[in-house]
Amino acid sequence: MLELTRITAGYDRRAPVVRDVSLSVGHGEAVGLLGPSGCGKSTLAKVAALLHRPDAGTVTLDGTVVRGWRHRAPQEQRTAVGVVFQQPRLSADPRLSLRELIAQPLRSTGRRREVPARVAELAPLVGLSEELLERRPHAVSDGQLQRACLARALVLRPGLLICDEMTAMLDASTTAALVAVVETYRAESGAALLAVGHDRVLLERWCDRTVRWGERAVERVPAR
């Protein structure tokens, strides 16, 4: 499904934050990426989500080598990956209602006709009422906004979901609810998951396997 091979990436070629890292996620597999804050996990997640071009290395998605990034990536590849970030307020347009936020990927890919039915399907799944859907980000809690961001990530039915510290800012009950949503989606769709975080207990309970950030590569955590 996803192969990251010897990825080097950052925001200054003279000081990359990710050096020579490799990682794979198989079809239908849930992989946890465990590492401390600041080690480069989020940068690697952005590379995997086709949102950041690496300085070196290869990204392969569904057997096809990725050649373009962000809007230059083929639509088939862009829509195959859904991503949820740690801080929902930094990834949500404050001008949009939660309904519009969820529908954003459908509109940007020319699938406007699907908006009413798809939003109606996802809102109860992630725990958003009709009243909440009409609110803008400033009028909802972090947990409610993250629920909308998760729905946005699922709206195009991606084959790979990337959760980058998705639950780091949430309480235990909201964390459990959103993890359950992801697992329901995966059970129904067969989607793969890359869950990035520093909570080893959560990742080991959530994922089929957990890998640990190493100095030059991501390595498997020995089974207990």
Side-chain angles (χ1 to χ4, degrees):
M1 177 64 190
L2 173 69
E3 290 281 347
L4 304 176
T5 306
R6 307 197 69 173
I7 298 295
T8 294
Y11 309 96
D12 182 340
R13 284 181 174 271
R14 296 168 297 181
V17 295
V18 174
R19 295 177 182 269
D20 201 21
V21 170
S22 298
L23 176 68
S24 65
V25 181
H27 285 277
E29 185 180 28
V31 176
L33 175 55
L34 177 70
S37 298
C39 70
K41 303 187 305 300
S42 291
T43 299
L44 188 66
K46 288 178 181 178
V47 171
L50 313 188
L51 296 176
H52 185 76
R53 178 188 290 274
D55 298 324
T58 303
V59 178
T60 305
L61 189 61
D62 271 340
T64 301
V65 175
V66 173
R67 303 294 185 189
W69 306 88
R70 299 185 71 87
H71 297 298
R72 294 187 177 182
Q75 182 170 302
E76 181 180 355
Q77 289 185 330
R78 293 200 318 270
T79 58
V81 183
V83 59
V84 188
F85 296 104
Q86 175 181 355
Q87 298 184 36
R89 298 196 185 280
L90 297 182
S91 61
D93 188 333
R95 299 168 297 179
L96 301 181
S97 68
L98 299 195
R99 185 187 302 278
E100 293 167 332
L101 177 70
I102 295 169
Q104 206 172 17
L106 287 170
R107 296 184 186 281
S108 65
T109 53
R111 297 162 60 179
R112 294 174 181 269
R113 292 182 179 181
E114 298 178 38
V115 168
R118 192 69 177 126
V119 173
E121 178 185 357
L122 285 170
L125 182 66
V126 299
L128 291 175
S129 66
E130 282 293 319
E131 188 269 333
L132 285 172
L133 287 175
E134 301 309 319
R135 296 188 188 182
R136 294 183 182 181
H138 75 272
V140 299
S141 68
D142 287 342
Q144 291 164 338
L145 184 54
Q146 192 68 307
R147 289 171 188 268
C149 289
L150 175 56
R152 178 181 60 183
L154 299 178
V155 74
L156 294 178
R157 298 182 175 86
L160 171 65
L161 185 62
I162 299 175
C163 296
D164 180 16
E165 300 271 17
M166 177 184 76
T167 64
M169 299 178 65
L170 308 179
D171 59 32
S173 62
T174 306
T175 293
L178 294 193
V179 169
V181 170
V182 171
E183 289 310 291
T184 296
Y185 174 74
R186 292 187 60 239
E188 294 175 349
S189 68
L193 168 69
L194 175 60
V196 178
H198 59 265
D199 185 336
R200 180 169 183 156
V201 173
L202 173 62
L203 293 181
E204 289 185 344
R205 288 178 178 175
W206 189 2
C207 301
D208 300 319
R209 63 183 174 95
T210 303
V211 295
R212 178 179 55 216
W213 195 267
E215 291 185 359
R216 294 185 62 77
V218 174
E219 304 165 336
R220 180 183 291 247
V221 174
R224 291 181 177 178

